[in-house]
Amino acid sequence: MNATAPPLTVDMASLPPMTFDLPEGMHAIEISADAEERAEVVRQFVRDVYPQGEEPLREALNALYAETAEGMLAGGVAFFGIGLYEIEGGGVAHCSLTLSVFESGSVDQEVVAQGIRATLGTEPLNDVTWLDLPCGPAVSAISLRRLVIDGRFTRSGTDEELVMGQFQVHIPFGNGPYTAVFTLDTASMEQWEEFTHAVAGIVGTVAFPAVSDGGISDGGISHDGISHDGISHGGVSGDGGLNGAGDPRKETVR
């Protein structure tokens, strides 16, 4: 989440329409859904992520993720996902993906993006890049963090270092004074390149349709799941543009 931007102060349902595609393997909670829908989405999320889980475990996780979703909604997060992907040779690579929406104070995408780049560039640990997406200008920021895990919680019994990678893409809305922030976090650094390509595929499909174009009468955010081999969905073109492809299955957040 972009801590420097003011949180969204309007009801999520009043947002202008926004759509994007998701890669297969990303299990999602649409946090901006109403309470009943969100509860069902959480239950489906737990079933997807823990298909072999026993009922007591699922009930506990339902309560945990429901509370997490409420807290994220209060903080301006509209979407939360966990990506789980098999690694060739054995093992599972994992990441988390959130989508936050903030008020930007301007409808000029270029002006907003320039301001975001200037703000993010003041942090020396950020690798900041200007992007030209199909939906308009955007800014990405990559950062790495080193964490020390207490030996009480490691198999070796000694303190161990964990490297966490974060990839953010800030995208000013093309149809309102808001900015969408996609944030991917992962400790599976051996799959970092694949994950960044997956994010490229996601943000390359972002669109801000007019109400008449999207057929969305009350605004909101929707996403399509993409069936695609592997965990690389799209890539970064030489001119800073991003692109993605796939056959969608529609899900909508109101």
Side-chain angles (χ1 to χ4, degrees), residues 70-188:
E70 289 287 346
M72 288 185 169
L73 178 62
V77 177
F79 166 92
F80 169 70
I82 291 180
L84 300 172
Y85 306 96
E86 291 185 10
I87 301 173
E88 190 174 338
V92 176
H94 57 86
C95 67
S96 66
L97 180 72
T98 61
L99 167 62
S100 303
V101 180
F102 302 100
E103 290 182 304
S104 60
S106 174
V107 296
D108 188 321
Q109 289 177 285
E110 187 86 12
V111 169
V112 174
Q114 291 284 3
I116 291 170
R117 181 169 64 173
T119 300
L120 295 177
T122 62
E123 173 54 60
L125 298 181
N126 282 341
D127 181 5
V128 179
T129 303
W130 181 273
L131 303 174
D132 291 310
L133 303 182
C135 66
V139 179
S140 70
I142 293 175
S143 61
L144 299 178
R145 304 191 306 276
R146 296 184 182 275
L147 308 176
V148 177
I149 309 301
D150 191 296
R152 292 174 298 171
F153 307 104
T154 66
R155 290 184 179 181
S156 66
T158 60
D159 291 356
E160 295 183 6
E161 188 177 81
L162 178 68
V163 178
M164 294 285 296
Q166 183 179 89
F167 185 15
Q168 279 194 337
V169 181
H170 300 244
I171 309 174
F173 271 54
N175 54 3
Y178 304 99
T179 296
V181 183
F182 288 87
T183 303
L184 180 139
D185 289 287
T186 184
S188 301

Side-chain angles (χ1 to χ4, degrees), residues 175-231:
N175 54 3
Y178 304 99
T179 296
V181 183
F182 288 87
T183 303
L184 180 139
D185 289 287
T186 184
S188 301
M189 296 305 296
E190 292 182 357
Q191 285 70 45
W192 177 253
E193 183 176 356
E194 288 88 344
F195 282 136
T196 57
H197 281 205
V199 174
I202 293 170
V203 301
T205 65
V206 170
F208 300 105
V211 173
S212 58
D213 294 337
I216 303 173
S217 59
D218 57 354
I221 300 171
S222 67
H223 68 81
D224 297 329
I226 302 176
S227 298
H228 200 291
D229 294 333
I231 64 174

